[in-house]
Amino acid sequence: MFPLHFDVGGRTVEVSVTTLLNAGYAGRSQEDVAAHVAELAELGVPAPTRTPCLYPVAPYLAMQTDVVPVQHGRTSGEAEWALVITEDDVLLTAACDHTDRELEVHGVAWSKQAGPDVLGRKAWRLAEVEDHLDEITLTAWAGGEKIQDGTLADLLTPHYWLEELRTRGLARPGTILISGTIPMTPEVDQFATTWRVDLTDPRTNDTITCTYAVDVMPEPVA
């Protein structure tokens, strides 16, 4: 398992990931949650029995990479933020949950295992932005077209998830939680060859970017 490295105010913080969790259907607004359920229903994904959801995935799927290899053309990212628990702090960064949409119709948990959670290479200390978290913007581009645009006010808060992690005994160094996403613009093709997610603090104009190309692998020889 390769450690991740984050630039935190000019200081490099190394994190060895031991637990990776993907939140789902985690909108603060039930209307937004319903919109996301409807987006997935159009792709054949059955609705969850409860919300929000929490999906454990293999820790090695937390990556900082420029290229995501995929097996076919129906995969896409999702704009998210990520909580990263270190030995002595909690960090916030941008993330993109790259998901196999063909597999998702058979099981969301399965699809989460088929693609990585790509994280930004920079992070903020949660304590330094927690007084204005709802102002921070979350934006995604698929193939250069804006496909998601919102703020952290659209999602359940980092502190909600920290409390959930504490309840479950998972608020420990090496745990990363990915936030769940916001609705996509249906007119934009999500099955793009590039994905980019920006997390921007409007008070400082500082942006954490997560960006990568999607590379379709050759057909299997079988």
Side-chain angles (χ1 to χ4, degrees):
M1 177 183 313
F2 297 100
L4 304 181
H5 296 88
F6 299 95
D7 178 350
V8 184
R11 178 174 64 97
T12 299
V13 176
E14 180 177 302
V15 179
S16 294
V17 184
T18 56
T19 303
L20 179 59
L21 301 161
N22 283 19
Y25 308 102
R28 215 179 297 181
S29 161
Q30 288 304 300
E31 289 183 3
D32 284 350
V33 170
H36 186 48
V37 170
E39 286 171 0
L40 296 179
E42 290 181 2
L43 298 172
V45 181
T49 57
R50 55 149 287 176
T51 58
C53 302
L54 196 58
Y55 303 101
V57 295
Y60 61 76
L61 292 174
M63 298 182 185
Q64 292 166 317
T65 183
D66 297 322
V67 180
V68 172
V70 298
Q71 291 186 313
H72 54 79
R74 290 184 62 82
T75 70
S76 64
E78 293 181 348
E80 316 212 7
W81 53 257
L83 279 181
V84 181
I85 301 179
T86 73
E87 290 290 342
D88 57 3
D89 212 344
V90 180
L91 308 180
L92 183 72
T93 190
C96 196
D97 171 19
H98 202 80
T99 301
D100 187 319
R101 302 302 180 187
E102 292 283 356
L103 187 57
E104 194 174 39
V105 302
H106 302 288
V108 173
W110 293 351
S111 70
K112 299 296 184 186
Q113 294 286 345
D117 288 325
V118 183
L119 284 81
R121 291 181 168 89
K122 185 168 74 172
W124 300 316
R125 297 183 61 241
L126 180 62
E128 293 180 349
V129 295
E130 63 185 347
D131 66 337
H132 60 283
L133 281 168
D134 283 359
E135 300 174 26
I136 294 174
T137 62
L138 182 63
T139 314
W141 290 263
E145 292 189 74
K146 187 181 289 187
I147 189 169
Q148 293 175 280
D149 192 12
T151 70
L152 268 61
D154 297 323
L155 294 165
L156 293 172
T157 68
H159 292 289
Y160 171 92
W161 288 113
L162 279 172
E163 187 57 36
E164 185 76 11
L165 292 177
R166 292 187 187 103
T167 298
R168 297 177 180 276
L170 296 172
R172 59 197 181 205
T175 292
I176 292 180
L177 181 134
I178 313 293
S179 68
T181 196
I182 56 179
M184 293 185 187
T185 302
E187 294 79 16
V188 177
D189 182 10
Q190 64 179 290
F191 304 118
T193 57
T194 60
W195 266 81
R196 172 181 164 182
V197 174
D198 281 0
L199 196 64
T200 300
D201 184 344
R203 294 199 182 183
T204 61
N205 290 320
D206 192 18
T207 296
I208 300 174
T209 296
C210 164
T211 184
Y212 58 89
V214 181
D215 182 28
V216 179
M217 296 182 289
E219 291 289 327
V221 179

PDB file of all heavy atoms in Angstrom, residues 23-27 30 33 36-37 40 45-48 50-53 55 104 108 156 180-181:
ATOM      1  N   ALA A  23     -19.169   7.713   1.486  1.00  0.00           N
ATOM      2  CA  ALA A  23     -20.550   8.058   1.828  1.00  0.00           C
ATOM      3  C   ALA A  23     -21.383   8.113   0.551  1.00  0.00           C
ATOM      4  O   ALA A  23     -20.870   8.393  -0.532  1.00  0.00           O
ATOM      5  CB  ALA A  23     -20.593   9.400   2.542  1.00  0.00           C
ATOM      6  N   GLY A  24     -22.662   7.839   0.691  1.00  0.00           N
ATOM      7  CA  GLY A  24     -23.564   7.886  -0.450  1.00  0.00           C
ATOM      8  C   GLY A  24     -24.899   8.484  -0.065  1.00  0.00           C
ATOM      9  O   GLY A  24     -25.329   8.375   1.090  1.00  0.00           O
ATOM     10  N   TYR A  25     -25.540   9.145  -1.025  1.00  0.00           N
ATOM     11  CA  TYR A  25     -26.860   9.758  -0.798  1.00  0.00           C
ATOM     12  C   TYR A  25     -26.773  10.686   0.418  1.00  0.00           C
ATOM     13  O   TYR A  25     -27.614  10.645   1.312  1.00  0.00           O
ATOM     14  CB  TYR A  25     -27.923   8.685  -0.608  1.00  0.00           C
ATOM     15  CG  TYR A  25     -27.922   7.656  -1.721  1.00  0.00           C
ATOM     16  CD1 TYR A  25     -27.355   6.400  -1.531  1.00  0.00           C
ATOM     17  CD2 TYR A  25     -28.471   7.953  -2.957  1.00  0.00           C
ATOM     18  CE1 TYR A  25     -27.330   5.465  -2.563  1.00  0.00           C
ATOM     19  CE2 TYR A  25     -28.451   7.023  -3.986  1.00  0.00           C
ATOM     20  CZ  TYR A  25     -27.877   5.781  -3.785  1.00  0.00           C
ATOM     21  OH  TYR A  25     -27.856   4.860  -4.804  1.00  0.00           O
ATOM     22  N   ALA A  26     -25.720  11.499   0.432  1.00  0.00           N
ATOM     23  CA  ALA A  26     -25.361  12.262   1.630  1.00  0.00           C
ATOM     24  C   ALA A  26     -25.678  13.747   1.500  1.00  0.00           C
ATOM     25  O   ALA A  26     -25.049  14.573   2.169  1.00  0.00           O
ATOM     26  CB  ALA A  26     -23.877  12.071   1.938  1.00  0.00           C
ATOM     27  N   GLY A  27     -26.646  14.110   0.685  1.00  0.00           N
ATOM     28  CA  GLY A  27     -27.037  15.501   0.565  1.00  0.00           C
ATOM     29  C   GLY A  27     -27.743  15.999   1.808  1.00  0.00           C
ATOM     30  O   GLY A  27     -28.506  15.265   2.443  1.00  0.00           O
ATOM     31  N   GLN A  30     -32.991  16.843   1.153  1.00  0.00           N
ATOM     32  CA  GLN A  30     -33.612  15.617   0.664  1.00  0.00           C
ATOM     33  C   GLN A  30     -33.990  15.739  -0.812  1.00  0.00           C
ATOM     34  O   GLN A  30     -34.047  14.735  -1.528  1.00  0.00           O
ATOM     35  CB  GLN A  30     -34.835  15.273   1.512  1.00  0.00           C
ATOM     36  CG  GLN A  30     -34.483  14.772   2.898  1.00  0.00           C
ATOM     37  CD  GLN A  30     -33.552  13.561   2.853  1.00  0.00           C
ATOM     38  OE1 GLN A  30     -33.899  12.530   2.298  1.00  0.00           O
ATOM     39  NE2 GLN A  30     -32.362  13.696   3.428  1.00  0.00           N
ATOM     40  N   VAL A  33     -30.894  14.741  -2.605  1.00  0.00           N
ATOM     41  CA  VAL A  33     -30.725  13.295  -2.497  1.00  0.00           C
ATOM     42  C   VAL A  33     -31.646  12.587  -3.493  1.00  0.00           C
ATOM     43  O   VAL A  33     -31.235  11.681  -4.216  1.00  0.00           O
ATOM     44  CB  VAL A  33     -31.014  12.807  -1.060  1.00  0.00           C
ATOM     45  CG1 VAL A  33     -31.078  11.280  -1.014  1.00  0.00           C
ATOM     46  CG2 VAL A  33     -29.943  13.322  -0.106  1.00  0.00           C
ATOM     47  N   HIS A  36     -30.294  12.822  -6.991  1.00  0.00           N
ATOM     48  CA  HIS A  36     -29.192  11.902  -7.251  1.00  0.00           C
ATOM     49  C   HIS A  36     -29.702  10.464  -7.405  1.00  0.00           C
ATOM     50  O   HIS A  36     -29.240   9.720  -8.271  1.00  0.00           O
ATOM     51  CB  HIS A  36     -28.161  11.978  -6.124  1.00  0.00           C
ATOM     52  CG  HIS A  36     -26.919  11.179  -6.381  1.00  0.00           C
ATOM     53  ND1 HIS A  36     -26.224  11.247  -7.561  1.00  0.00           N
ATOM     54  CD2 HIS A  36     -26.259  10.284  -5.603  1.00  0.00           C
ATOM     55  CE1 HIS A  36     -25.177  10.429  -7.505  1.00  0.00           C
ATOM     56  NE2 HIS A  36     -25.196   9.829  -6.324  1.00  0.00           N
ATOM     57  N   VAL A  37     -30.666  10.083  -6.571  1.00  0.00           N
ATOM     58  CA  VAL A  37     -31.284   8.753  -6.708  1.00  0.00           C
ATOM     59  C   VAL A  37     -31.910   8.622  -8.097  1.00  0.00           C
ATOM     60  O   VAL A  37     -31.800   7.584  -8.753  1.00  0.00           O
ATOM     61  CB  VAL A  37     -32.329   8.515  -5.604  1.00  0.00           C
ATOM     62  CG1 VAL A  37     -33.135   7.252  -5.880  1.00  0.00           C
ATOM     63  CG2 VAL A  37     -31.646   8.411  -4.237  1.00  0.00           C
ATOM     64  N   LEU A  40     -29.256   8.072 -10.806  1.00  0.00           N
ATOM     65  CA  LEU A  40     -28.789   6.686 -10.821  1.00  0.00           C
ATOM     66  C   LEU A  40     -29.867   5.740 -11.323  1.00  0.00           C
ATOM     67  O   LEU A  40     -29.572   4.746 -11.990  1.00  0.00           O
ATOM     68  CB  LEU A  40     -28.320   6.285  -9.421  1.00  0.00           C
ATOM     69  CG  LEU A  40     -27.106   7.055  -8.901  1.00  0.00           C
ATOM     70  CD1 LEU A  40     -26.745   6.598  -7.496  1.00  0.00           C
ATOM     71  CD2 LEU A  40     -25.913   6.891  -9.824  1.00  0.00           C
ATOM     72  N   VAL A  45     -29.755   1.833 -11.526  1.00  0.00           N
ATOM     73  CA  VAL A  45     -29.283   1.555 -10.170  1.00  0.00           C
ATOM     74  C   VAL A  45     -30.466   1.575  -9.203  1.00  0.00           C
ATOM     75  O   VAL A  45     -31.175   2.580  -9.118  1.00  0.00           O
ATOM     76  CB  VAL A  45     -28.240   2.594  -9.724  1.00  0.00           C
ATOM     77  CG1 VAL A  45     -27.741   2.276  -8.315  1.00  0.00           C
ATOM     78  CG2 VAL A  45     -27.090   2.641 -10.711  1.00  0.00           C
ATOM     79  N   PRO A  46     -30.713   0.486  -8.467  1.00  0.00           N
ATOM     80  CA  PRO A  46     -31.842   0.469  -7.535  1.00  0.00           C
ATOM     81  C   PRO A  46     -31.648   1.462  -6.402  1.00  0.00           C
ATOM     82  O   PRO A  46     -30.528   1.740  -5.966  1.00  0.00           O
ATOM     83  CB  PRO A  46     -31.852  -0.976  -7.012  1.00  0.00           C
ATOM     84  CG  PRO A  46     -30.489  -1.506  -7.270  1.00  0.00           C
ATOM     85  CD  PRO A  46     -29.982  -0.798  -8.477  1.00  0.00           C
ATOM     86  N   ALA A  47     -32.752   2.029  -5.905  1.00  0.00           N
ATOM     87  CA  ALA A  47     -32.703   3.003  -4.825  1.00  0.00           C
ATOM     88  C   ALA A  47     -32.253   2.333  -3.523  1.00  0.00           C
ATOM     89  O   ALA A  47     -32.539   1.154  -3.285  1.00  0.00           O
ATOM     90  CB  ALA A  47     -34.081   3.637  -4.634  1.00  0.00           C
ATOM     91  N   PRO A  48     -31.557   3.061  -2.659  1.00  0.00           N
ATOM     92  CA  PRO A  48     -31.134   2.490  -1.376  1.00  0.00           C
ATOM     93  C   PRO A  48     -32.319   2.317  -0.432  1.00  0.00           C
ATOM     94  O   PRO A  48     -33.359   2.954  -0.591  1.00  0.00           O
ATOM     95  CB  PRO A  48     -30.162   3.543  -0.836  1.00  0.00           C
ATOM     96  CG  PRO A  48     -30.640   4.823  -1.436  1.00  0.00           C
ATOM     97  CD  PRO A  48     -31.139   4.467  -2.809  1.00  0.00           C
ATOM     98  N   ARG A  50     -32.002   3.014   2.771  1.00  0.00           N
ATOM     99  CA  ARG A  50     -31.877   4.085   3.761  1.00  0.00           C
ATOM    100  C   ARG A  50     -30.836   5.083   3.253  1.00  0.00           C
ATOM    101  O   ARG A  50     -30.006   4.767   2.408  1.00  0.00           O
ATOM    102  CB  ARG A  50     -31.459   3.567   5.125  1.00  0.00           C
ATOM    103  CG  ARG A  50     -30.197   2.741   5.143  1.00  0.00           C
ATOM    104  CD  ARG A  50     -29.425   2.860   6.423  1.00  0.00           C
ATOM    105  NE  ARG A  50     -28.750   4.154   6.526  1.00  0.00           N
ATOM    106  CZ  ARG A  50     -28.064   4.541   7.605  1.00  0.00           C
ATOM    107  NH1 ARG A  50     -27.981   3.749   8.658  1.00  0.00           N
ATOM    108  NH2 ARG A  50     -27.454   5.715   7.651  1.00  0.00           N
ATOM    109  N   THR A  51     -30.914   6.283   3.761  1.00  0.00           N
ATOM    110  CA  THR A  51     -29.892   7.287   3.467  1.00  0.00           C
ATOM    111  C   THR A  51     -29.556   8.038   4.755  1.00  0.00           C
ATOM    112  O   THR A  51     -30.425   8.186   5.620  1.00  0.00           O
ATOM    113  CB  THR A  51     -30.386   8.304   2.410  1.00  0.00           C
ATOM    114  OG1 THR A  51     -31.572   8.949   2.878  1.00  0.00           O
ATOM    115  CG2 THR A  51     -30.652   7.613   1.079  1.00  0.00           C
ATOM    116  N   PRO A  52     -28.312   8.509   4.916  1.00  0.00           N
ATOM    117  CA  PRO A  52     -27.192   8.297   4.003  1.00  0.00           C
ATOM    118  C   PRO A  52     -26.640   6.875   4.116  1.00  0.00           C
ATOM    119  O   PRO A  52     -26.945   6.161   5.075  1.00  0.00           O
ATOM    120  CB  PRO A  52     -26.166   9.316   4.486  1.00  0.00           C
ATOM    121  CG  PRO A  52     -26.438   9.428   5.964  1.00  0.00           C
ATOM    122  CD  PRO A  52     -27.931   9.325   6.092  1.00  0.00           C
ATOM    123  N   CYS A  53     -25.834   6.505   3.124  1.00  0.00           N
ATOM    124  CA  CYS A  53     -25.195   5.185   3.117  1.00  0.00           C
ATOM    125  C   CYS A  53     -23.698   5.356   3.394  1.00  0.00           C
ATOM    126  O   CYS A  53     -23.146   6.447   3.276  1.00  0.00           O
ATOM    127  CB  CYS A  53     -25.376   4.510   1.768  1.00  0.00           C
ATOM    128  SG  CYS A  53     -27.096   4.302   1.254  1.00  0.00           S
ATOM    129  N   TYR A  55     -20.156   3.065   2.482  1.00  0.00           N
ATOM    130  CA  TYR A  55     -19.611   1.897   1.805  1.00  0.00           C
ATOM    131  C   TYR A  55     -18.118   1.754   2.122  1.00  0.00           C
ATOM    132  O   TYR A  55     -17.309   2.589   1.700  1.00  0.00           O
ATOM    133  CB  TYR A  55     -19.775   2.014   0.294  1.00  0.00           C
ATOM    134  CG  TYR A  55     -21.201   2.203  -0.169  1.00  0.00           C
ATOM    135  CD1 TYR A  55     -21.673   3.463  -0.528  1.00  0.00           C
ATOM    136  CD2 TYR A  55     -22.082   1.120  -0.268  1.00  0.00           C
ATOM    137  CE1 TYR A  55     -22.980   3.638  -0.960  1.00  0.00           C
ATOM    138  CE2 TYR A  55     -23.389   1.295  -0.705  1.00  0.00           C
ATOM    139  CZ  TYR A  55     -23.831   2.557  -1.046  1.00  0.00           C
ATOM    140  OH  TYR A  55     -25.121   2.740  -1.472  1.00  0.00           O
ATOM    141  N   GLU A 104     -22.505  -0.723 -11.458  1.00  0.00           N
ATOM    142  CA  GLU A 104     -23.325  -0.095 -10.427  1.00  0.00           C
ATOM    143  C   GLU A 104     -24.764  -0.601 -10.433  1.00  0.00           C
ATOM    144  O   GLU A 104     -25.418  -0.672  -9.390  1.00  0.00           O
ATOM    145  CB  GLU A 104     -23.301   1.424 -10.622  1.00  0.00           C
ATOM    146  CG  GLU A 104     -23.828   2.219  -9.452  1.00  0.00           C
ATOM    147  CD  GLU A 104     -23.628   3.705  -9.658  1.00  0.00           C
ATOM    148  OE1 GLU A 104     -23.796   4.177 -10.799  1.00  0.00           O
ATOM    149  OE2 GLU A 104     -23.299   4.398  -8.683  1.00  0.00           O
ATOM    150  N   VAL A 108     -24.113  -1.099  -5.833  1.00  0.00           N
ATOM    151  CA  VAL A 108     -23.307   0.103  -5.633  1.00  0.00           C
ATOM    152  C   VAL A 108     -21.992  -0.242  -4.938  1.00  0.00           C
ATOM    153  O   VAL A 108     -20.923   0.244  -5.312  1.00  0.00           O
ATOM    154  CB  VAL A 108     -24.096   1.152  -4.822  1.00  0.00           C
ATOM    155  CG1 VAL A 108     -23.207   2.338  -4.461  1.00  0.00           C
ATOM    156  CG2 VAL A 108     -25.313   1.628  -5.612  1.00  0.00           C
ATOM    157  N   LEU A 156     -23.968  16.702   3.769  1.00  0.00           N
ATOM    158  CA  LEU A 156     -23.792  16.533   5.207  1.00  0.00           C
ATOM    159  C   LEU A 156     -22.393  16.996   5.601  1.00  0.00           C
ATOM    160  O   LEU A 156     -21.433  16.853   4.844  1.00  0.00           O
ATOM    161  CB  LEU A 156     -24.002  15.071   5.602  1.00  0.00           C
ATOM    162  CG  LEU A 156     -25.433  14.543   5.442  1.00  0.00           C
ATOM    163  CD1 LEU A 156     -25.470  13.034   5.671  1.00  0.00           C
ATOM    164  CD2 LEU A 156     -26.388  15.238   6.404  1.00  0.00           C
ATOM    165  N   GLY A 180     -19.619  11.702  -0.533  1.00  0.00           N
ATOM    166  CA  GLY A 180     -20.832  11.648  -1.325  1.00  0.00           C
ATOM    167  C   GLY A 180     -20.868  12.873  -2.225  1.00  0.00           C
ATOM    168  O   GLY A 180     -20.094  13.822  -2.046  1.00  0.00           O
ATOM    169  N   THR A 181     -21.770  12.862  -3.214  1.00  0.00           N
ATOM    170  CA  THR A 181     -21.688  13.875  -4.262  1.00  0.00           C
ATOM    171  C   THR A 181     -22.943  14.720  -4.364  1.00  0.00           C
ATOM    172  O   THR A 181     -23.911  14.533  -3.617  1.00  0.00           O
ATOM    173  CB  THR A 181     -21.362  13.196  -5.609  1.00  0.00           C
ATOM    174  OG1 THR A 181     -20.925  14.181  -6.545  1.00  0.00           O
ATOM    175  CG2 THR A 181     -22.571  12.446  -6.172  1.00  0.00           C
TER     176      THR A 181
END
